[in-house]
Amino acid sequence: MKKMLAIAMAMTMGLGLVACGGGDSSADSTAEAPAQDGAEADDTGDAAEAEAPEETPSAGGESYTVGICQLVQHEALDAATQGFKDALVEEFGNAVIFDEQNAQNDSNTCSTIINGFVSGDVDLILANATPALQAAQAGTNEIPILGTSVTEYGVALGIDGFDGTVGGNISGTSDLAPLDEQAAMLKELFPDATNVGLIYCTAEANSQYQVDEVQKALEGLGYTCKQYGFSDSNDLSSVATTAVSENEVLYVPTDNTVASNAELLNNIAQPAKVPVIAGEEGICAGCGVATLSISYYDLGVGTGKMAAKILTGESDISTMPIEYAPQFTKKYNAELCEALGITIPEDYVAIGE
């Protein structure tokens, strides 16, 4: 009996020792944990601190989603979109996210894209070209909208007596080059011509505005002018064929449908030896001999800088006036000028140089 009691007491003491040992082990782990966690936190903190400027360089760690609706893919609009994105990435780094969509030259698709941006509650919308801007105007009066590659905002948005500021939730940049100077360029290069045909897409309000203004300037310089409007790319060929047969020179404004079909127009005008004066460089590269043009990339950069001020709250879009390209350059298509035997003055710059 005593032996059994002795054994029982020994076992009880052993269990007590084990329990104490377990308690010591737990305490050691707890004591060490803060040091380990602290070391890891310091390492992570150092890494985060080193990487923070690249990941979230915006003030206050904000991030932004920007919807981009581009009417159609061609050189000028592509350059404006790229300039816009580059300016925002320079400002915010990876803290800005772009939802970039192309409407394939369909105004109804522009509306669908804009409605998606509104449903997604983007922070700002870039509307690249007039139909995209018109769709954005119809789609929201709350989300800030910046237009670019839009010639005349009063015409595009139906604003009578436009004073340079749209107001509300819309502003942007204009690609309008001095139309009287484009007319003067045509006179400089083709002083002996008498008839000028003006080709444009009737679905683009700003194209109508441009040809009306250029026609006034050309008629003031002594030319006889006739407008040749087409509704879409399907009837451009027949309209261009007629225009080429009736005129010695053609003028094309900053028209997105022509820009997308410049090769088609060139295939009609060049064999007939009828030169084309273009409203912008992209069209000129495809079918024109000369242009007084802007840099669409720089225009996009300017739009991006406007967007940055809006997103950070530095500027109120309702009071931001439309901005214009800072400079214009006389450019020429060297290959086409050589093919048509046209001598270009020395103050022109070859496209691509």
Side-chain angles (χ1 to χ4, degrees):
M1 183 68 174
K2 290 181 180 180
K3 186 176 182 181
M4 292 178 64
L5 287 172
I7 294 171
M9 290 177 66
M11 292 177 64
T12 301
M13 291 175 65
L15 288 171
L17 290 171
V18 170
C20 289
D24 291 343
S25 297
S26 177
D28 290 342
S29 297
T30 304
E32 292 172 1
Q36 293 171 352
D37 292 344
E40 291 175 0
D42 289 343
D43 291 343
T44 304
D46 291 343
E49 184 178 351
E51 295 174 1
E54 179 179 346
E55 294 177 355
T56 56
S58 60
E62 294 286 345
S63 62
Y64 308 100
T65 300
V66 175
I68 299 175
C69 178
Q70 181 174 316
L71 174 64
V72 65
Q73 183 176 6
H74 67 67
E75 184 176 342
L77 300 191
D78 291 349
T81 292
Q82 190 61 54
F84 174 80
K85 291 167 62 179
D86 287 350
L88 282 177
V89 169
E90 181 177 353
E91 179 71 23
F92 300 119
N94 293 334
V96 60
I97 300 169
F98 301 104
D99 184 352
E100 183 178 354
Q101 299 190 42
N102 192 298
Q104 303 300 323
N105 208 24
D106 187 283
S107 58
N108 292 326
T109 303
C110 284
S111 298
T112 300
I113 292 171
I114 295 297
N115 290 338
F117 292 160
V118 174
S119 297
D121 195 26
V122 299
D123 296 298
L124 183 141
I125 294 172
L126 174 71
N128 192 345
T130 298
L133 179 65
Q134 293 169 331
Q137 179 194 38
T140 178
N141 59 7
E142 296 181 357
I143 297 173
I145 299 166
L146 287 176
T148 194
S149 311
V150 176
T151 303
E152 219 288 326
Y153 281 74
V155 173
L157 302 177
I159 303 172
D160 293 330
F162 179 61
D163 63 0
T165 300
V166 176
N169 65 322
I170 299 175
S171 188
T173 56
S174 169
D175 62 357
L176 181 63
L179 299 175
D180 57 339
E181 292 184 28
Q182 291 186 2
M185 170 183 285
L186 190 150
K187 179 70 172 179
E188 178 182 37
L189 297 177
F190 308 106
D192 298 328
T194 56
N195 299 306
V196 179
L198 301 98
I199 298 180
Y200 69 103
C201 179
T202 56
E204 298 188 34
N206 276 319
S207 294
Q208 180 72 68
Y209 169 79
Q210 290 174 83
V211 296
D212 286 345
E213 293 301 310
V214 170
Q215 180 170 346
K216 293 176 187 177
L218 287 172
E219 288 176 344
L221 294 172
Y223 292 99
T224 299
C225 299
K226 182 178 179 180
Q227 296 185 12
Y228 296 83
F230 61 93
S231 58
D232 55 41
S233 58
N234 294 323
D235 62 345
L236 172 58
S237 178
S238 60
V239 169
T241 300
T242 301
V244 163
S245 67
E246 296 176 349
N247 297 277
E248 298 144 282
V249 184
L250 299 180
Y251 170 81
V252 178
T254 56
D255 185 292
N256 292 298
T257 308
V258 173
S260 299
N261 295 274
E263 183 178 358
L264 184 154
L265 180 56
N266 185 62
N267 289 340
I268 295 170
Q270 183 178 346
K273 303 291 186 182
V274 176
V276 177
I277 297 294
E280 59 93 5
E281 183 176 336
I283 296 176
C284 189
C287 66
V289 294
T291 182
L292 179 67
S293 189
I294 65 170
S295 165
Y296 276 81
Y297 178 84
D298 290 346
L299 192 71
V301 169
T303 317
K305 291 179 178 179
M306 294 175 72
K309 293 179 180 179
I310 294 167
L311 292 171
T312 59
E314 180 181 343
S315 296
D316 179 356
I317 191 171
S318 68
T319 63
M320 298 177 78
I322 301 303
E323 296 186 8
Y324 295 82
Q327 62 183 19
F328 308 93
T329 305
K330 290 181 176 181
K331 293 194 172 185
Y332 72 101
N333 183 330
E335 181 179 352
L336 192 51
C337 285
E338 182 179 356
L340 295 177
I342 298 171
T343 301
I344 298 294
E346 293 183 357
D347 61 335
Y348 285 64
V349 177
I351 293 174
E353 290 187 356

